[in-house]
Amino acid sequence: MSQVQAVRLKTPSEHLLPVNVERLAFDASGEALKPRAVVTSVQKQWDECLAEIAKEVPHQTIQTWFRQITPIFFVDNFLFLQVPSKFFSEWIETHYGSILTESVVSKFGNDIKVEYLIAPVKENKANSLPVTTAAEPPPVILAIGEKDQTEPQHKCRDLNHGFRFENFFVGRENEFVYNAAQVVAKKLTSAEYNPLYIFGETGSGKTHLINAMGNAIQEFHPALKLILISSERFLNDYVSAVQAQKVGQFRKSLIDADVFMFENLPSLKGKEKSQVELLYILSELLNKGAQIIITANVSPGDLKHFNPGLISFLQKGLIADIPPIETQTREKIIRHFLAKNEIYLDEKIIQFLAENLDTNIHNLRSVIVRIIAQISLTERPLVLNDVKYIVSQICPGCYYGDSSTPLRKEIGIDEIINATGSFFKVPGDLIQGVSRKQKVSQARQVAIYLCRELTDESLNCIGYHFSNLHHASVLYSYNKIKDSIEENARIRNSVQKIKALL
C-alpha cells in the first residue's frame, strides 16, 4: 500500500539531489545504481509508469496533471515526486491515487512509498503582479504551455483586459476554481472540463475570472475565435433575429466560435424558447470541439424554471464554485489597494474591515475606494469611527460572514442612549430625564427615533426608558425626527454618525 506525504520545499532549488543520495539509490530490483545513472533510471521507470497510466485515463489528463509531476529520486523504497502545489498532490491522490499506486508498484516494487515534494513553479517576474502579502507565497500558476506572442486573429472586443489571472486574489477558498480556470484557458482540449460551469454569489469574482480566462486564451491561442456574450445580450439578439427572420444567421455567428463564454445564465429564467435555442447552440459547439465556459450564481441543479435538457447538458463537464471570500483574502485585498495607493490605515481599522465587511467584493472595493479618496482629498487620517461611518453609508446591509448576522450586533436602548449622549455631549441621565432645554430635547428625540429604528421594542417599552413617556409622545418624537431627516441635512448627518458609532 502506497503511503503519501506532502512536503513543502523551502525553495524550488531544494529538489536537487543531495550529495549522498546517489550512492543510496537503487533500481526496482534492488541493484545499486552508478551515480550518473540514478536520475536517468528513475525517469525511465517513471515514463513506463506514465505509459501504463495512459491506458486508463484520457490523454488530456496525462498532459494536464501527470506531465507536471517530476520524479526526483528513488531511495530506500521511497519514490520522491515533485509537484507544483499541495492542492495538486491532493487532487492527484483523490482522483487518480489508485491508478498511480498500481503503476508505481508495478515498476518500482511492492513496498514502494511515494512522497510529494511541493515546489511551486517559478513565474516570470516581469509578467506577474504581486497581489499577496510578503509573508505568504503567491498563488500557484500552473505552467502549461507557452504564450504565443502573435496578435490574436479574432480579438474579442467584449473582454475586460484589466481582469487577469495575475491580479485575481487567491485564497484557500477559491484556489480550486482558480487552478481549474487556468488549466482550461491554457489547454482547451479536455472533454472532462467541457463545459466548464463556474458559479458563485454576486461579488465573488465570476466576472473577473471569466475575463481572465478570455485574456489568457487569446494570449495562448491567438488563432482561435473567442466569443464572450451575456445572457441579456443573447436574449436581445435572439429576439431581434426572430423578428427579422434571421435565426439561422444568429446561430451561425455563435456556433462559429472556438471558445464560447456565456455570462449570467440565470437571467434566462423562464425564457423557454431562448433556453431551447441556447441548448441547440451549445450542443453544436460541443460537437465541433469548441470549449464552453458558463457563469451563474447557482449550481445547475438549483436553476429554477430551466429546460431539463439544458440543465443535464451543463452537468456533463466540470462544475466549480467560487465560495464567499474569507477574512484572510479580504485582508489581502485591503492591504494590496492601500499599498498601491500609498495609504496608511491603523491595524485596528484593517482588521475591522476584513472581519466585518461582507463577502461581496464589490462592496469591499467601494469602501476601500471611498477611504482612499477621503484620505487623499482631505489630507487627514481616518479613525475607526470614521471608517464605521463610511461602511454604514456605502453598504448598510453588510454582514459578518454569514447571511443571518448583520454588521452591527444587536443594539440595545441603553447603547443608543449612550451613543447619542456621546455625540451631542449630553449626559445619558439628562436624555432620559425631563429637561426641556433645546439641546437635551433634541438629543432625546434623536435617541427615541433610533430606538424605534434599530430595535424591536414597543413604544411603551421605549417610553419606559425615557421617564415613562406616554407612547403617543414617543411616536411624536419619532415622527418629528423622521420628517427632519428628509428636510434637514444637519439632523440627517447627525443620525447617520450616531448609527456609525453603534
Side-chain angles (χ1 to χ4, degrees), residues 58-65 183 187-193:
H59 173 72
Q60 175 59 32
T61 300
I62 294 292
Q63 295 299 114
T64 301
W65 296 101
V183 169
K187 294 303 292 184
L188 292 177
T189 56
S190 174
E192 295 173 310
Y193 300 164

Side-chain angles (χ1 to χ4, degrees), residues 354-413:
E355 293 172 4
N356 294 318
L357 279 175
D358 70 5
T359 56
N360 186 322
I361 296 178
H362 302 323
N363 285 340
L364 179 59
R365 287 181 184 274
S366 296
V367 170
I368 296 301
V369 168
R370 166 64 186 273
I371 289 173
I372 291 171
Q374 187 158 326
I375 292 177
S376 300
L377 295 174
T378 64
E379 298 183 349
R380 290 197 304 269
L382 297 180
V383 297
L384 183 57
N385 282 339
D386 296 328
V387 173
K388 286 183 177 181
Y389 170 72
I390 291 173
V391 172
S392 72
Q393 295 304 294
I394 294 178
C395 47
C398 284
Y399 295 93
Y400 273 115
D402 80 55
S403 58
S404 62
T405 309
L407 173 65
R408 293 177 295 276
K409 299 177 181 178
E410 186 174 346
I411 299 171
I413 291 177

Side-chain angles (χ1 to χ4, degrees), residues 46-150:
W46 174 248
D47 289 341
E48 292 174 356
C49 288
L50 291 184
E52 292 294 320
I53 295 172
K55 298 176 183 178
E56 304 292 332
V57 302
H59 173 72
Q60 175 59 32
T61 300
I62 294 292
Q63 295 299 114
T64 301
W65 296 101
F66 289 95
R67 286 297 181 189
Q68 292 193 73
I69 302 175
T70 304
I72 303 303
F73 52 85
F74 175 51
V75 55
D76 292 341
N77 285 332
F78 280 89
L79 174 62
F80 292 87
L81 302 176
Q82 178 183 317
V83 294
S85 68
K86 184 177 180 181
F87 161 80
F88 191 100
S89 65
E90 290 173 348
W91 176 274
I92 288 290
E93 279 301 299
T94 301
H95 294 83
Y96 307 110
S98 59
I99 295 175
L100 176 65
T101 298
E102 185 177 343
S103 63
V104 167
V105 167
S106 68
K107 301 301 177 183
F108 288 87
N110 291 330
D111 297 327
I112 186 71
K113 299 179 178 65
V114 174
E115 288 199 11
Y116 291 120
L117 301 179
I118 311 301
V121 178
K122 279 188 175 181
E123 286 294 311
N124 186 341
K125 293 182 179 179
N127 295 327
S128 63
L129 297 176
V131 296
T132 55
T133 58
E136 183 179 348
V140 175
I141 299 181
L142 303 179
I144 305 173
E146 295 296 329
K147 292 183 180 179
D148 192 322
Q149 300 302 320
T150 59

Side-chain angles (χ1 to χ4, degrees), residues 296-309:
N297 59 1
V298 295
S299 68
D302 289 330
L303 289 169
K304 305 299 182 184
H305 305 291
F306 265 77
N307 185 297

Side-chain angles (χ1 to χ4, degrees), residues 319-383:
I319 301 172
D321 67 315
I322 307 183
I325 57 174
E326 297 179 355
T327 302
Q328 290 181 342
T329 308
R330 294 198 292 270
E331 182 178 337
K332 188 187 301 183
I333 295 172
I334 293 166
R335 292 187 185 280
H336 168 75
F337 280 104
L338 292 177
K340 182 179 178 181
N341 290 274
E342 299 182 348
I343 295 294
Y344 169 80
L345 282 182
D346 187 85
E347 280 298 313
K348 290 182 179 180
I349 296 177
I350 294 175
Q351 292 304 315
F352 167 79
L353 293 172
E355 293 172 4
N356 294 318
L357 279 175
D358 70 5
T359 56
N360 186 322
I361 296 178
H362 302 323
N363 285 340
L364 179 59
R365 287 181 184 274
S366 296
V367 170
I368 296 301
V369 168
R370 166 64 186 273
I371 289 173
I372 291 171
Q374 187 158 326
I375 292 177
S376 300
L377 295 174
T378 64
E379 298 183 349
R380 290 197 304 269
L382 297 180
V383 297

